[in-house]
Amino acid sequence: MPADIFSQLTRYSEFWREYHLCTLTTLRPDGSPHVVPVGVTVDVDAGVARIITRKSSKKIANIQASRPGEAHVAVCQVDGGRWASLEGTAEVLTDAAAVEDAVTRYADRYGRTPAPDPERVVIEITITRAMGLASRSQPAPSRRTI
């Protein structure tokens, strides 16, 4: 895991703890991207990102359609000029302990605990690449009205 971006840039890992909605990109069986909004938590020490979702979702179907260890995905978040992307391989976890841990992490980041859902599973992404610019030193973009 390229933890060097996390260890060198404290702001980068702090950015992943702030409240931001993210996007998850999975690949459909035909190779086209499927991009959806999600909540993501990042465990820097373990080198993984986690997403809670329902097992009947299209993102789960896309991951499960890949061969084991070959479900390549990306998560991204943007806030003005700051952005961060993580790439890696995803697997679907269904055991109760993994789901409970992921829900707790989600509650810590997003400030709310989702209602219990017997269909809930966890997408666990083993991070292979981290990119981004999380510094607040850039001026905020101007806001235009249309």
Side-chain angles (χ1 to χ4, degrees), residues 52-112:
I52 56 175
T53 190
R54 294 179 59 88
K55 66 182 173 184
S56 59
S57 70
K58 179 65 176 165
K59 54 191 159 287
I60 295 298
N62 289 341
I63 291 167
Q64 291 177 331
S66 297
R67 286 184 250 169
E70 293 185 11
H72 298 284
V73 301
V75 292
C76 182
Q77 65 181 16
V78 177
D79 178 41
R82 299 184 307 152
W83 65 277
S85 291
L86 301 172
E87 297 176 6
T89 54
E91 67 177 305
V92 178
L93 306 179
T94 59
D95 65 278
V99 172
E100 183 178 338
D101 178 59
V103 167
T104 299
R105 291 170 187 273
Y106 178 95
D108 287 345
R109 181 173 188 193
Y110 292 101
R112 70 172 194 85

